């Protein structure tokens, strides 16, 4: 059983995929995203899974995808924004090098435009994003070994801050 070198958590639009790929490149390791695993396995988008099957069905798929990726992947792993909602998943993250990429609501608006492709933000995006973060922030902080603020930083700056915080050297 392997363990990821780094696990990235944080809200949608924070840059987990972008920073994850940069970290993997700089560390000379592989990159994996559990949302991509789910889309690949299901043959449809996360939005479609939410609409067709509902959030509980998606969360069950997500829980299994995270469990599998944590067991199989030894590189950089990015988790979906809501993966930390599951208590078993949080338990699995204990002792891992988890980086919580944080941002405030204004940064989220700039980055995502809080668009309708995000199923949990379809009605009043700014209000819903705030509510999601109020419900999740403490969970992200609970699982995090380090917190890296992304506000006003380029992906390269966030990548370097994560490497520095974890005291990891580039390959």
């Amino acid at each position: 059983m392997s363990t990821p070198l780094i696990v990235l958590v944080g809200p949608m639009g924070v840059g987990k995929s972008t920073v994850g790929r940069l970290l993997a490149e700089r560390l000379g390791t592989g990159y994996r995203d559990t949302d991509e695993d789910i889309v690949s396995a299901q043959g449809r988008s996360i939005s479609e899974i939410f609409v067709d099957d509902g959030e509980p069905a998606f969360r069950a798929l997500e829980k299994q995808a995270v469990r599998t990726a944590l067991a199989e992947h030894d590189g950089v792993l990015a988790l979906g924004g809501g993966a930390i909602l599951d208590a078993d998943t949080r338990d699995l993250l204990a002792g891992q090098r988890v980086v919580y990429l944080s941002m405030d609501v204004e940064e989220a608006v700039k980055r995502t435009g809080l668009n309708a492709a995000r199923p949990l933000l379809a009605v009043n995006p700014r209000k819903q994003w705030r509510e999601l973060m109020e419900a999740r922030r403490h969970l992200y902080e609970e699982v995090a070994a380090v917190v890296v603020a992304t506000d006003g930083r380029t992906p390269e700056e966030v990548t370097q801050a994560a490497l520095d915080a974890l005291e990891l050297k580039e390959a």
Side-chain angles (χ1 to χ4, degrees), residues 19-56:
V19 170
R21 285 184 180 91
L22 286 169
L23 282 167
E25 184 180 303
R26 302 241 320 246
L27 292 167
T29 191
Y31 170 75
R32 184 165 175 176
D33 181 320
T34 56
D35 279 352
E36 291 173 8
D37 291 351
I38 294 166
V39 168
S40 176
Q42 294 295 308
R44 55 195 171 137
S45 72
I46 289 171
S47 293
E48 289 172 309
I49 297 167
F50 262 81
V51 169
D52 296 344
D53 303 340
E55 185 175 356

Side-chain angles (χ1 to χ4, degrees), residues 92-114:
L92 289 173
L93 292 173
Q96 302 271 354
R97 273 196 200 105
V98 179
V99 177
Y100 163 32
L101 299 180
S102 68
M103 69 178 169
D104 68 22
V105 69
E106 298 313 316
E107 189 79 7
V109 170
K110 277 194 286 192
R111 289 192 195 178
T112 66
L114 296 180

Side-chain angles (χ1 to χ4, degrees), residues 62-83:
E62 181 175 55
K63 178 178 179 172
Q64 187 54 53
V66 170
R67 176 178 296 280
T68 299
L70 285 171
E72 294 176 354
H73 188 66
D74 62 1
V76 177
L77 178 64
L79 305 187

Side-chain angles (χ1 to χ4, degrees), residues 59 81-82 84-85 120 132-140:
R59 295 293 173 212
I84 46 79
L85 294 171
L120 291 179
L132 276 177
M133 281 310 297
E134 285 170 17
R136 295 177 180 181
R137 183 174 291 108
H138 71 286
L139 299 175
Y140 291 132

